[in-house]
Amino acid sequence: MILHDLINYEILRLIWWLLLGVLLIGFAVTDGFDLGTGILLPFAGRNDIERRVIINSVGPVWEGNQVWLILGGGAIFAAWPQLYAVSFSGFYLAMFAILVALILRPVAFKFRSKREDPSWRARWDAVLFISGFVPALIFGVAIGNVLRGVPFRLSPDMHIFYDGTFFGLLNPFAVLCGLVSVAMLVMHGAAWLQLKTQGPVADRARRFGSVAAIATVVLYALAGYAMWRWIDGYQVTSVQPVDGPSNPLLKTAVVQQGAWFANYAARPWLWAAPALGFVGALIALAGLQLRREVLTILASALSIAGIILSVGASMFPFILPSSIDPRASLTVWDSSSSDLTLFIMLVVTVVFIPLIVAYTSWVYHVLWGKVDADAIRDERGHAY
């Protein structure tokens, strides 16, 4: 408990806010190329062998990549229970659509090659495309709605009331954010296919990936302009203790135009996050054109990290603002679990995250190399 005494409640809350960002980035970077590859499947693969090459490029690793999604959901549940309650109940139908897509993906992987009927395989290919496109779009739409503010309120006894609808989530700004998400994951999927495949598949992936990289830059810029021009931010207007109780209603907050850019004005070094989003995508574009495989995958990963970090940098200390009652908005300082809970979770995280990273790194090392189309034809060593 001596270590616990050295890490106060404020630092623990800040650490878990940062860890939440790390887990989201880990999911977007690892499972992101799985989703992007699924979206590219009908376009980069023109025949059955080429599509099997694409599927087998992610087949051995996609399940392991899902770990980051599980960790992220678990972290939200344990470290930020109010965030979990509001988001998973308010976005229930959206989350259900993502869940259905993620359940269909392993079914498609397993069943696609069970029969040689072209129509059978074409249907499962469509499922793989949908199971890549739908989560990529909805995750981005969710972020767009978080930036706009979510229509929820809290009663004095902390009961949550969500007053929005599913179709209300599909507003223009949120859809624009969804398109940013789709574009950046297609770029990442193309970078992965350039790394893992060769011949016509890699060539087509480079073409589509180049378009996606340009679209990422353009759409991300449009989203930033829209957020500055039309999307109001939120600002806490009362003194908020950083080690106070987890009760959002103890503060006051207002909606204010340009508030999401206040952190950048106060701390100019935060501009590094959106700059990384733009520069990473441009380097990935150059890497695709120059066929620099490792550079491209690293650059696309950095672009994804920068885009996600820019959202966190804009909103801090807000985690989930309320468009109905700004006072009920959840912040880093008033919506976390207890001091002891955060500390115990941090100890567990310090032990297990390095193990997960080490194991994942070993798996990727063992599976390093390109998927061979000839081996696919001969049924040698490929499961899908």
Side-chain angles (χ1 to χ4, degrees):
M1 300 302 292
I2 297 177
L3 182 60
H4 182 207
D5 295 335
L6 296 176
I7 306 178
N8 60 35
Y9 202 8
E10 173 190 359
I11 294 176
L12 282 170
R13 281 170 160 168
L14 188 58
I15 287 174
W16 273 103
W17 176 76
L18 293 170
L19 282 174
L20 179 59
V22 169
L23 294 173
L24 291 175
I25 292 171
F27 170 68
V29 169
T30 55
D31 205 44
F33 67 72
D34 294 348
L35 300 177
T37 299
I39 298 172
L40 285 170
L41 178 64
F43 308 103
R46 299 293 175 80
N47 56 51
D48 184 63
I49 292 297
E50 291 178 350
R51 292 184 178 182
R52 287 187 63 195
V53 166
I54 294 172
I55 292 170
N56 278 279
S57 73
V58 298
V61 297
W62 73 268
E63 287 180 291
N65 295 338
Q66 297 284 92
V67 168
W68 294 99
L69 177 62
I70 298 170
L71 289 174
I76 292 174
F77 173 77
W80 309 101
Q82 291 172 321
L83 172 63
Y84 179 89
V86 175
S87 59
F88 279 71
S89 59
F91 296 163
Y92 180 80
L93 290 178
M95 294 290 184
F96 185 78
I98 291 174
L99 183 62
V100 169
L102 294 180
I103 289 174
L104 287 175
R105 181 167 59 165
V107 176
F109 277 134
K110 298 298 182 182
F111 280 86
R112 181 194 183 276
S113 296
K114 295 297 184 182
R115 294 173 57 184
E116 296 186 3
D117 180 9
S119 61
W120 168 272
R121 295 188 174 187
R123 285 192 291 270
W124 288 116
D125 289 342
V127 170
L128 287 171
F129 169 79
I130 293 170
S131 65
F133 179 80
V134 169
L137 179 68
I138 293 181
F139 281 129
V141 168
I143 294 299
N145 279 282
V146 169
L147 287 167
R148 291 181 72 250
V150 177
F152 74 93
R153 50 193 170 87
L154 300 175
S155 67
D157 57 358
M158 292 294 105
H159 282 183
I160 299 166
F161 298 91
Y162 181 81
D163 296 334
T165 63
F166 173 77
F167 292 103
L169 299 175
L170 302 177
N171 54 82
F173 178 73
V175 172
L176 175 59
C177 292
L179 294 177
V180 174
S181 176
V182 171
M184 74 178 188
L185 295 187
V186 170
M187 172 185 68
H188 200 44
W192 175 258
L193 289 179
Q194 178 181 245
L195 179 70
K196 294 293 291 183
T197 66
Q198 53 193 341
V201 172
D203 291 337
R204 295 189 197 105
R206 277 187 283 269
R207 290 199 298 271
F208 288 111
S210 297
V211 174
I214 296 171
T216 299
V217 172
V218 173
L219 292 171
Y220 184 42
L222 287 175
Y225 177 78
M227 191 168 72
W228 171 72
R229 187 70 175 81
W230 295 295
I231 303 301
D232 294 332
Y234 293 74
Q235 184 176 17
V236 176
T237 55
S238 61
V239 177
Q240 189 177 26
V242 295
D243 57 352
S246 291
N247 185 346
L249 299 179
L250 297 179
K251 68 175 181 304
T252 59
V254 295
V255 179
Q256 184 174 344
Q257 185 176 7
W260 284 155
F261 290 86
N263 285 337
Y264 294 105
R267 303 171 184 85
W269 56 270
L270 290 176
W271 284 106
L276 188 62
F278 285 113
V279 172
L282 292 174
I283 295 175
L285 173 62
L288 287 165
Q289 296 296 312
L290 298 174
R291 305 190 179 203
R292 300 291 297 273
E293 299 169 356
V294 176
L295 174 66
T296 304
I297 194 76
L298 292 177
S300 64
L302 288 175
S303 178
I304 292 172
I307 291 172
I308 294 175
L309 288 171
S310 68
V311 175
S314 298
M315 293 182 59
F316 185 85
F318 288 88
I319 298 178
L320 190 66
S322 169
S323 59
I324 294 178
D325 181 9
R327 184 181 61 141
S329 299
L330 309 181
T331 73
V332 173
W333 313 124
D334 63 17
S335 58
S336 72
S337 294
S338 68
D339 183 7
L340 182 59
T341 299
L342 294 182
F343 177 76
I344 293 174
M345 288 175 57
L346 181 60
V347 172
V348 173
T349 300
V350 169
V351 173
F352 284 99
I353 288 292
L355 293 177
I356 293 171
V357 172
Y359 171 74
T360 302
S361 301
W362 176 78
V363 168
Y364 279 92
H365 172 73
V366 170
L367 297 173
W368 187 262
K370 295 184 181 294
V371 178
D372 187 0
D374 291 333
I376 294 285
R377 292 187 183 93
D378 297 338
E379 304 289 344
R380 288 186 281 110
H382 292 285
Y384 303 106

